[in-house]
Amino acid sequence: MTKYLFTSESVSEGHPDKVADQISDAILDNFLAQDPHSRVACETLVTTGQVIIAGEITSANYVDVQSVARRTIAEIGYTKAEYKFEAESCGILTALHEQSADIARGVDVQGAGDQGMMFGYATAETENFMPLTLDLAHTLVYTLARIRKEGQQMTYLRPDAKSQVTIEYNDLGEPLRIDTIVVSTQHDEGVSQEQIRRDIETILLPRVATRDHRYAELLKGNFRLLVNPTGNFVIGGPHGDTGLTGRKIIVDTYGGRGAHGGGAFSGKDPSKVDRSAAYAARWIAKNMVAAGVAREMLVQVSYAIGVAEPVSICVNTYGTGICSDEQIAAKIQQLFDLTPAGIIRDLKLLNPIYEPTARYGHMGRTPQIVKREFRDGNGQPFTLEVELFTWEKLNRVDDIRKAFGL
């Protein structure tokens, strides 16, 4: 039996690229909360003391874009002048205009908002059907952010952080052990690297171990732990590195497993198949694997601008399927409506559900109904109840089993 190493990374909500993603998606949500048919393609750049927001937006309602950006930055944790990027004092420039009439023409007839190919992936190696390397990497930076926001331990933490996890697998794709964990966390001046490493070992990792029995077992083993490998991480966030919307597409999806069509998600309303079809492909792959059709599955769908039906559907089960990949692809076409309108309807994508996706991954999350607060064009707050991560629901398993005779 052969063995191999595979690595995935994740980044915290304070990473500059994720700051940009969250601002873009917060703006999208605030438009959708008032006008569910808003067309939004919003890009954000963040750097030292500056936010630049550009793109195309067509909506029946007004949103105070600057206020949304400042609230988002504050919630992430950039609230101190010493970070050189602070919610209340940073400059915000906007360059927004209406959606192109040529693009709108194709979408208005319920066609795809652009050409391209999108992928969805699922694997039976974890309970949420995600690669274990990415799942653990997300948990590390999420837990680190929780510790920072609780303010009781590791009080020197700043918002920017990254993690990386390398796991050894056998040739059946089963995880054997953790080989290496890398944690890089921004911190206050004057904190020793020895203290940070000790706290990672005695505070962060034990908390991560309590979140999942798989983590607890794997973290008992011997592995290499690298903490702030450069030796110092005081300067970080948008002051340390310019952030842009859409630069963490592998963190957002499957950590390098499967494939990626190249289109980013954040800041795009669901008429853009870059986003909606990628969610649909994940929904299909997850339900197929959960139904027992395969242990691992990659689903590709492709579109032409202005055309509703997919140009192609392709499946790869890596030899784990109960029948041929071609037969599975044909069943998918029968079972799922993959027109943009069908995807938007089935996954309830016109709701303001997107800002939570812009941190700690769009896939592998827990579907949940939450109440979210927004502000209308006059600045008055209002609350909407929405369902998050609908593409993670296992609501088609019975249909799939029936179709395959399982």
Side-chain angles (χ1 to χ4, degrees):
M1 183 172 290
T2 59
K3 301 175 183 178
Y4 65 92
L5 299 176
F6 190 82
T7 301
S8 296
E9 71 160 350
S10 185
V11 299
S12 73
E13 62 204 69
H15 186 281
D17 293 331
K18 280 288 130 195
V19 173
D21 283 345
Q22 288 167 90
I23 292 171
S24 291
D25 272 338
I27 291 168
L28 167 63
D29 278 354
N30 276 267
F31 275 104
L32 292 177
Q34 298 181 80
D35 176 9
H37 298 284
S38 296
R39 300 279 169 75
V40 179
C42 180
E43 311 287 345
T44 303
L45 178 150
V46 294
T47 187
T48 303
Q50 186 70 57
V51 178
I52 299 173
I53 301 167
E56 302 81 47
I57 296 178
T58 301
S59 180
N61 291 82
Y62 170 77
V63 169
D64 186 343
V65 169
Q66 292 204 14
S67 293
V68 171
R70 294 191 192 281
R71 287 198 299 272
T72 304
I73 295 166
E75 288 168 4
I76 293 168
Y78 286 105
T79 55
K80 297 180 181 180
E82 62 198 273
Y83 297 161
K84 305 295 178 64
F85 181 82
E86 187 267 330
E88 293 303 317
S89 63
C90 65
I92 299 180
L93 300 177
T94 58
L96 299 167
H97 57 86
E98 289 191 339
Q99 183 182 58
S100 158
D102 292 340
I103 295 175
R105 189 178 300 114
V107 178
D108 288 341
V109 295
Q110 296 189 330
D114 201 353
Q115 70 176 46
M117 63 282 190
M118 299 83 207
F119 291 89
Y121 175 81
T123 172
E125 72 178 78
T126 60
E127 293 178 0
N128 61 356
F129 301 92
M130 290 290 287
L132 182 59
T133 50
L134 182 63
D135 199 41
L136 182 50
H138 281 325
T139 303
L140 285 163
V141 286
Y142 170 80
T143 306
L144 198 64
R146 295 308 311 159
I147 292 170
R148 172 175 60 86
K149 291 184 175 184
E150 289 165 5
Q152 302 300 312
Q153 298 173 299
M154 302 178 74
T155 55
Y156 52 80
L157 291 174
R158 292 184 177 184
D160 196 357
K162 299 176 76 172
S163 67
Q164 185 171 285
V165 176
T166 301
I167 288 178
E168 183 181 68
Y169 290 84
N170 64 24
D171 55 7
L172 297 178
E174 298 167 337
L176 301 176
R177 65 179 183 88
I178 297 173
D179 180 83
T180 305
I181 291 178
V182 183
V183 178
S184 297
T185 180
Q186 188 187 14
H187 57 86
D188 288 344
E189 187 77 65
V191 182
S192 72
Q193 295 304 309
E194 290 76 14
Q195 179 182 348
I196 297 172
R197 181 184 178 90
R198 184 170 59 251
D199 288 347
I200 294 294
E201 292 176 329
T202 62
I203 297 173
L204 176 63
L205 294 184
R207 281 190 57 166
V208 168
T210 65
R211 292 183 60 85
D212 192 301
H213 69 277
R214 299 164 301 164
Y215 300 161
E217 289 301 314
L218 288 166
L219 289 169
K220 288 178 183 176
N222 294 321
F223 57 88
R224 179 170 50 168
L225 176 63
L226 302 176
V227 177
N228 287 2
T230 64
N232 208 42
F233 191 1
V234 174
I235 299 172
H239 177 50
D241 189 14
T242 298
L244 291 169
T245 300
R247 281 207 302 200
K248 286 291 175 283
I249 59 176
I250 299 303
V251 171
D252 286 343
T253 51
Y254 308 103
R257 293 282 284 274
H260 199 294
F265 302 154
S266 289
K268 297 177 181 178
D269 74 79
S271 72
K272 282 74 172 174
V273 284
D274 274 346
R275 183 168 219 161
S276 54
Y279 292 162
R282 162 63 178 174
W283 180 46
I284 293 167
K286 182 177 181 179
N287 277 265
M288 285 281 179
V289 173
V293 175
R295 293 198 311 273
E296 183 180 14
M297 185 178 293
L298 182 69
V299 177
Q300 184 206 58
V301 290
S302 65
Y303 293 86
I305 188 169
V307 179
E309 292 290 343
V311 173
S312 67
I313 301 172
C314 178
V315 169
N316 185 358
T317 61
Y318 307 92
T320 69
I322 61 170
C323 56
S324 73
D325 292 349
E326 182 181 9
Q327 290 172 312
I328 294 170
K331 290 287 188 184
I332 288 172
Q333 200 157 15
Q334 296 170 10
L335 287 166
F336 294 88
D337 182 351
L338 288 173
T339 63
I343 293 169
I344 289 169
R345 177 196 66 235
D346 292 342
L347 297 182
K348 304 176 184 178
L349 297 182
L350 292 180
N351 292 320
I353 57 175
Y354 297 104
E355 186 185 356
T357 68
R359 48 189 178 267
Y360 312 116
H362 294 243
M363 316 302 179
R365 308 289 292 276
T366 303
Q368 54 186 300
I369 296 174
V370 300
K371 291 183 178 180
R372 301 194 63 204
E373 186 174 289
F374 303 94
R375 294 179 186 271
D376 63 22
N378 297 316
Q380 297 301 309
F382 66 97
T383 300
L384 292 178
E385 187 175 84
V386 298
E387 188 173 11
L388 304 179
F389 306 107
T390 53
W391 49 93
E392 293 296 323
K393 295 174 72 173
L394 293 174
N395 55 357
R396 297 301 303 277
V397 171
D398 290 343
D399 296 336
I400 292 167
R401 286 176 175 162
K402 182 177 179 181
F404 283 89
L406 298 173

